[in-house]
Amino acid sequence: MTFPPDATAPHSKSRLAIVLTGGGARAAYQVGLLRGIAARWPDLEIEILSGVSAGAINVSHLAAHPGDFRANVDALTELWLSLTPEKVFNVDALSLLSRMARAILKFGSGGSRLAPETRGMVDTRPLAEFLRNALGTDNDSPIPGIIAKLQGSTALDSVALGTIDWATGRGHTWIQAREPELWRRSGRESRQTELTLQHVMASSALPLLFPAVQLGDSWHGDGGVRLIYPLAPAVHSQADRILAISTRTRPPGERTPDTVGYPPTAQVAGVLMNAIFLDQLDQDAQRLERINHLLHRTAAAPDPREGQARHEASLRHIDLCVVRPSEDLGRLAAEYEFKLPRAFRFATRGLGTKETKSPDILAMLMFQPDYVQRLIEVGERDAESNHQRIARTLRR
């Protein structure tokens, strides 16, 4: 789907942030939405990129690829369209069964030191190799494309990826920026760094399913865990406008039931994954909108006991646009389930993925090219249908 470039493409000095949440394979939807935006604003300038989980993969690739916004998105689209399950994790029966067997032995060992160590239910070394080639780096070296952009004359000013430290349960936001704004809050903090492949792999390491990744002396996992404030990295980086792209179709309670009777494991796991990784964006967006409303009210009738400058020093209005899928990406995944590799399909069906209308846990792992293509198409259509909302934020 293509659109004529928007003649009023934004060139404001106000800082624009794009925030990408997680969702595994569902992050292909983000690519489609960005593709639709790039068709209208090919030269869009983005100062801040922030992502967690699969959104971290999209953010790191956008930040590392040379060229204008449209070229970045086209390259990201090609990356996703070349994905297959085999490029994300080993799907052969021997690998899957051996990891399941080790997990069972560990569980039944009673804590014996002789029990085998388990590191995730799948082997993600194929994904590491895939991203190593895509980002042009190795495990521990800084991603050269991000360094080039931040040191060059591009608009990009800050790149942030989120992880969780499994030893402490503390959330970490890893920031590479020209002049980083660092913070420390209860349960979360930011750290200045040069981003590497290890940061990307750690941020996208789905708990229990994907192995944790070592960063320094600690083991880190998916940045969506305990991410109470998904918009915080953009806010702390002094964003004036935020475009946040969710992979959650509708907030909880606004959809028809997916199962009848006792819920299968796949349904419970899907609800848990959504609650951990995706639902927080809606709550954080509501908080930001309430702050915007409060600032509007205080600006209209300032308190004579306090100077207006004092309000503006602590809080500021931030334009926010949240876009979410118009179609249920979990239900779309059910249409492509039969195309998954046989061993992997057998294992997921054991969890009850055929017993729910919307197997969200399966949608996170559905790296099928035709499913990815479908999500990109949905994203492009949603970019068009939300054009006016998006334009209001981009043109500020």
Side-chain angles (χ1 to χ4, degrees), residues 51-74:
V52 294
S53 196
I57 295 176
N58 289 339
V59 158
S60 60
H61 195 271
L62 286 171
H65 197 275
D68 59 18
F69 178 60
R70 186 165 191 167
N72 295 169
V73 174
D74 285 346

PDB file of all heavy atoms in Angstrom, residues 51-74:
ATOM      1  N   GLY A  51      12.460   1.204  22.804  1.00  0.00           N
ATOM      2  CA  GLY A  51      11.790  -0.073  22.563  1.00  0.00           C
ATOM      3  C   GLY A  51      12.133  -1.115  23.597  1.00  0.00           C
ATOM      4  O   GLY A  51      13.185  -1.065  24.251  1.00  0.00           O
ATOM      5  N   VAL A  52      11.226  -2.064  23.759  1.00  0.00           N
ATOM      6  CA  VAL A  52      11.453  -3.212  24.634  1.00  0.00           C
ATOM      7  C   VAL A  52      11.019  -4.467  23.901  1.00  0.00           C
ATOM      8  O   VAL A  52      10.187  -4.422  22.992  1.00  0.00           O
ATOM      9  CB  VAL A  52      10.673  -3.102  25.963  1.00  0.00           C
ATOM     10  CG1 VAL A  52      11.179  -1.943  26.798  1.00  0.00           C
ATOM     11  CG2 VAL A  52       9.183  -2.961  25.711  1.00  0.00           C
ATOM     12  N   SER A  53      11.607  -5.601  24.303  1.00  0.00           N
ATOM     13  CA  SER A  53      11.248  -6.894  23.746  1.00  0.00           C
ATOM     14  C   SER A  53      11.435  -6.883  22.229  1.00  0.00           C
ATOM     15  O   SER A  53      12.466  -6.425  21.734  1.00  0.00           O
ATOM     16  CB  SER A  53       9.815  -7.249  24.153  1.00  0.00           C
ATOM     17  OG  SER A  53       9.554  -8.623  23.944  1.00  0.00           O
ATOM     18  N   ALA A  54      10.459  -7.357  21.471  1.00  0.00           N
ATOM     19  CA  ALA A  54      10.592  -7.330  20.016  1.00  0.00           C
ATOM     20  C   ALA A  54      10.666  -5.906  19.498  1.00  0.00           C
ATOM     21  O   ALA A  54      11.265  -5.639  18.444  1.00  0.00           O
ATOM     22  CB  ALA A  54       9.420  -8.065  19.373  1.00  0.00           C
ATOM     23  N   GLY A  55      10.071  -4.956  20.226  1.00  0.00           N
ATOM     24  CA  GLY A  55      10.195  -3.554  19.859  1.00  0.00           C
ATOM     25  C   GLY A  55      11.633  -3.082  19.915  1.00  0.00           C
ATOM     26  O   GLY A  55      12.020  -2.162  19.188  1.00  0.00           O
ATOM     27  N   ALA A  56      12.454  -3.701  20.771  1.00  0.00           N
ATOM     28  CA  ALA A  56      13.869  -3.350  20.849  1.00  0.00           C
ATOM     29  C   ALA A  56      14.595  -3.744  19.568  1.00  0.00           C
ATOM     30  O   ALA A  56      15.541  -3.066  19.149  1.00  0.00           O
ATOM     31  CB  ALA A  56      14.509  -4.034  22.049  1.00  0.00           C
ATOM     32  N   ILE A  57      14.183  -4.858  18.971  1.00  0.00           N
ATOM     33  CA  ILE A  57      14.776  -5.266  17.692  1.00  0.00           C
ATOM     34  C   ILE A  57      14.459  -4.225  16.628  1.00  0.00           C
ATOM     35  O   ILE A  57      15.343  -3.797  15.867  1.00  0.00           O
ATOM     36  CB  ILE A  57      14.257  -6.645  17.275  1.00  0.00           C
ATOM     37  CG1 ILE A  57      14.724  -7.713  18.279  1.00  0.00           C
ATOM     38  CG2 ILE A  57      14.700  -7.001  15.858  1.00  0.00           C
ATOM     39  CD1 ILE A  57      14.178  -9.101  18.004  1.00  0.00           C
ATOM     40  N   ASN A  58      13.210  -3.794  16.566  1.00  0.00           N
ATOM     41  CA  ASN A  58      12.821  -2.786  15.581  1.00  0.00           C
ATOM     42  C   ASN A  58      13.546  -1.466  15.812  1.00  0.00           C
ATOM     43  O   ASN A  58      14.018  -0.831  14.868  1.00  0.00           O
ATOM     44  CB  ASN A  58      11.305  -2.577  15.613  1.00  0.00           C
ATOM     45  CG  ASN A  58      10.542  -3.752  15.041  1.00  0.00           C
ATOM     46  OD1 ASN A  58      11.086  -4.554  14.286  1.00  0.00           O
ATOM     47  ND2 ASN A  58       9.283  -3.876  15.396  1.00  0.00           N
ATOM     48  N   VAL A  59      13.634  -1.049  17.063  1.00  0.00           N
ATOM     49  CA  VAL A  59      14.296   0.216  17.387  1.00  0.00           C
ATOM     50  C   VAL A  59      15.781   0.160  17.019  1.00  0.00           C
ATOM     51  O   VAL A  59      16.323   1.097  16.412  1.00  0.00           O
ATOM     52  CB  VAL A  59      14.115   0.546  18.884  1.00  0.00           C
ATOM     53  CG1 VAL A  59      15.181   1.514  19.372  1.00  0.00           C
ATOM     54  CG2 VAL A  59      12.736   1.135  19.122  1.00  0.00           C
ATOM     55  N   SER A  60      16.454  -0.916  17.399  1.00  0.00           N
ATOM     56  CA  SER A  60      17.891  -1.004  17.137  1.00  0.00           C
ATOM     57  C   SER A  60      18.176  -1.022  15.639  1.00  0.00           C
ATOM     58  O   SER A  60      19.152  -0.421  15.179  1.00  0.00           O
ATOM     59  CB  SER A  60      18.480  -2.247  17.810  1.00  0.00           C
ATOM     60  OG  SER A  60      17.876  -3.432  17.317  1.00  0.00           O
ATOM     61  N   HIS A  61      17.318  -1.686  14.856  1.00  0.00           N
ATOM     62  CA  HIS A  61      17.540  -1.727  13.413  1.00  0.00           C
ATOM     63  C   HIS A  61      17.258  -0.365  12.784  1.00  0.00           C
ATOM     64  O   HIS A  61      18.010   0.082  11.899  1.00  0.00           O
ATOM     65  CB  HIS A  61      16.664  -2.801  12.777  1.00  0.00           C
ATOM     66  CG  HIS A  61      17.079  -3.155  11.378  1.00  0.00           C
ATOM     67  ND1 HIS A  61      16.599  -2.494  10.274  1.00  0.00           N
ATOM     68  CD2 HIS A  61      17.952  -4.087  10.918  1.00  0.00           C
ATOM     69  CE1 HIS A  61      17.141  -3.008   9.188  1.00  0.00           C
ATOM     70  NE2 HIS A  61      17.969  -3.978   9.548  1.00  0.00           N
ATOM     71  N   LEU A  62      16.204   0.310  13.219  1.00  0.00           N
ATOM     72  CA  LEU A  62      15.924   1.660  12.717  1.00  0.00           C
ATOM     73  C   LEU A  62      17.079   2.601  13.034  1.00  0.00           C
ATOM     74  O   LEU A  62      17.472   3.435  12.200  1.00  0.00           O
ATOM     75  CB  LEU A  62      14.641   2.203  13.334  1.00  0.00           C
ATOM     76  CG  LEU A  62      13.310   1.634  12.834  1.00  0.00           C
ATOM     77  CD1 LEU A  62      12.172   2.129  13.712  1.00  0.00           C
ATOM     78  CD2 LEU A  62      13.051   2.003  11.378  1.00  0.00           C
ATOM     79  N   ALA A  63      17.615   2.480  14.243  1.00  0.00           N
ATOM     80  CA  ALA A  63      18.689   3.375  14.664  1.00  0.00           C
ATOM     81  C   ALA A  63      20.005   3.065  13.968  1.00  0.00           C
ATOM     82  O   ALA A  63      20.838   3.961  13.779  1.00  0.00           O
ATOM     83  CB  ALA A  63      18.880   3.278  16.178  1.00  0.00           C
ATOM     84  N   ALA A  64      20.207   1.812  13.580  1.00  0.00           N
ATOM     85  CA  ALA A  64      21.496   1.408  13.013  1.00  0.00           C
ATOM     86  C   ALA A  64      21.573   1.551  11.507  1.00  0.00           C
ATOM     87  O   ALA A  64      22.667   1.589  10.944  1.00  0.00           O
ATOM     88  CB  ALA A  64      21.788  -0.043  13.403  1.00  0.00           C
ATOM     89  N   HIS A  65      20.418   1.614  10.829  1.00  0.00           N
ATOM     90  CA  HIS A  65      20.435   1.611   9.366  1.00  0.00           C
ATOM     91  C   HIS A  65      20.619   3.021   8.827  1.00  0.00           C
ATOM     92  O   HIS A  65      19.986   3.960   9.297  1.00  0.00           O
ATOM     93  CB  HIS A  65      19.126   1.016   8.823  1.00  0.00           C
ATOM     94  CG  HIS A  65      19.213   0.609   7.389  1.00  0.00           C
ATOM     95  ND1 HIS A  65      19.000   1.494   6.363  1.00  0.00           N
ATOM     96  CD2 HIS A  65      19.527  -0.576   6.812  1.00  0.00           C
ATOM     97  CE1 HIS A  65      19.153   0.857   5.208  1.00  0.00           C
ATOM     98  NE2 HIS A  65      19.470  -0.394   5.457  1.00  0.00           N
ATOM     99  N   PRO A  66      21.481   3.203   7.829  1.00  0.00           N
ATOM    100  CA  PRO A  66      21.707   4.544   7.265  1.00  0.00           C
ATOM    101  C   PRO A  66      20.547   4.981   6.378  1.00  0.00           C
ATOM    102  O   PRO A  66      19.689   4.191   6.018  1.00  0.00           O
ATOM    103  CB  PRO A  66      22.986   4.366   6.437  1.00  0.00           C
ATOM    104  CG  PRO A  66      22.950   2.919   6.029  1.00  0.00           C
ATOM    105  CD  PRO A  66      22.334   2.185   7.184  1.00  0.00           C
ATOM    106  N   GLY A  67      20.540   6.263   6.030  1.00  0.00           N
ATOM    107  CA  GLY A  67      19.516   6.769   5.126  1.00  0.00           C
ATOM    108  C   GLY A  67      18.399   7.477   5.844  1.00  0.00           C
ATOM    109  O   GLY A  67      18.393   7.622   7.071  1.00  0.00           O
ATOM    110  N   ASP A  68      17.396   7.904   5.060  1.00  0.00           N
ATOM    111  CA  ASP A  68      16.265   8.612   5.630  1.00  0.00           C
ATOM    112  C   ASP A  68      15.274   7.637   6.257  1.00  0.00           C
ATOM    113  O   ASP A  68      15.479   6.413   6.243  1.00  0.00           O
ATOM    114  CB  ASP A  68      15.579   9.492   4.578  1.00  0.00           C
ATOM    115  CG  ASP A  68      15.081   8.690   3.373  1.00  0.00           C
ATOM    116  OD1 ASP A  68      14.944   7.448   3.486  1.00  0.00           O
ATOM    117  OD2 ASP A  68      14.828   9.300   2.318  1.00  0.00           O
ATOM    118  N   PHE A  69      14.197   8.185   6.787  1.00  0.00           N
ATOM    119  CA  PHE A  69      13.224   7.366   7.506  1.00  0.00           C
ATOM    120  C   PHE A  69      12.645   6.273   6.619  1.00  0.00           C
ATOM    121  O   PHE A  69      12.525   5.109   7.033  1.00  0.00           O
ATOM    122  CB  PHE A  69      12.117   8.270   8.054  1.00  0.00           C
ATOM    123  CG  PHE A  69      11.029   7.541   8.783  1.00  0.00           C
ATOM    124  CD1 PHE A  69      11.300   6.775   9.900  1.00  0.00           C
ATOM    125  CD2 PHE A  69       9.701   7.639   8.364  1.00  0.00           C
ATOM    126  CE1 PHE A  69      10.298   6.111  10.591  1.00  0.00           C
ATOM    127  CE2 PHE A  69       8.686   6.983   9.038  1.00  0.00           C
ATOM    128  CZ  PHE A  69       8.987   6.217  10.154  1.00  0.00           C
ATOM    129  N   ARG A  70      12.295   6.619   5.398  1.00  0.00           N
ATOM    130  CA  ARG A  70      11.698   5.628   4.510  1.00  0.00           C
ATOM    131  C   ARG A  70      12.685   4.496   4.214  1.00  0.00           C
ATOM    132  O   ARG A  70      12.299   3.321   4.201  1.00  0.00           O
ATOM    133  CB  ARG A  70      11.239   6.281   3.218  1.00  0.00           C
ATOM    134  CG  ARG A  70      10.476   5.319   2.309  1.00  0.00           C
ATOM    135  CD  ARG A  70       9.739   6.056   1.227  1.00  0.00           C
ATOM    136  NE  ARG A  70       8.810   5.174   0.529  1.00  0.00           N
ATOM    137  CZ  ARG A  70       7.868   5.602  -0.288  1.00  0.00           C
ATOM    138  NH1 ARG A  70       7.712   6.904  -0.511  1.00  0.00           N
ATOM    139  NH2 ARG A  70       7.059   4.757  -0.893  1.00  0.00           N
ATOM    140  N   ALA A  71      13.951   4.829   3.975  1.00  0.00           N
ATOM    141  CA  ALA A  71      14.956   3.797   3.723  1.00  0.00           C
ATOM    142  C   ALA A  71      15.115   2.890   4.933  1.00  0.00           C
ATOM    143  O   ALA A  71      15.260   1.665   4.799  1.00  0.00           O
ATOM    144  CB  ALA A  71      16.286   4.443   3.350  1.00  0.00           C
ATOM    145  N   ASN A  72      15.087   3.482   6.130  1.00  0.00           N
ATOM    146  CA  ASN A  72      15.193   2.683   7.361  1.00  0.00           C
ATOM    147  C   ASN A  72      14.044   1.695   7.478  1.00  0.00           C
ATOM    148  O   ASN A  72      14.244   0.507   7.800  1.00  0.00           O
ATOM    149  CB  ASN A  72      15.191   3.603   8.583  1.00  0.00           C
ATOM    150  CG  ASN A  72      16.392   4.515   8.666  1.00  0.00           C
ATOM    151  OD1 ASN A  72      16.421   5.421   9.469  1.00  0.00           O
ATOM    152  ND2 ASN A  72      17.404   4.312   7.827  1.00  0.00           N
ATOM    153  N   VAL A  73      12.826   2.173   7.223  1.00  0.00           N
ATOM    154  CA  VAL A  73      11.644   1.321   7.355  1.00  0.00           C
ATOM    155  C   VAL A  73      11.627   0.251   6.264  1.00  0.00           C
ATOM    156  O   VAL A  73      11.243  -0.898   6.518  1.00  0.00           O
ATOM    157  CB  VAL A  73      10.362   2.168   7.319  1.00  0.00           C
ATOM    158  CG1 VAL A  73       9.121   1.287   7.300  1.00  0.00           C
ATOM    159  CG2 VAL A  73      10.305   3.110   8.526  1.00  0.00           C
ATOM    160  N   ASP A  74      12.032   0.603   5.050  1.00  0.00           N
ATOM    161  CA  ASP A  74      12.085  -0.397   3.964  1.00  0.00           C
ATOM    162  C   ASP A  74      13.049  -1.522   4.326  1.00  0.00           C
ATOM    163  O   ASP A  74      12.752  -2.706   4.096  1.00  0.00           O
ATOM    164  CB  ASP A  74      12.519   0.266   2.653  1.00  0.00           C
ATOM    165  CG  ASP A  74      11.415   1.093   2.021  1.00  0.00           C
ATOM    166  OD1 ASP A  74      10.245   0.947   2.434  1.00  0.00           O
ATOM    167  OD2 ASP A  74      11.710   1.891   1.119  1.00  0.00           O
TER     168      ASP A  74
END
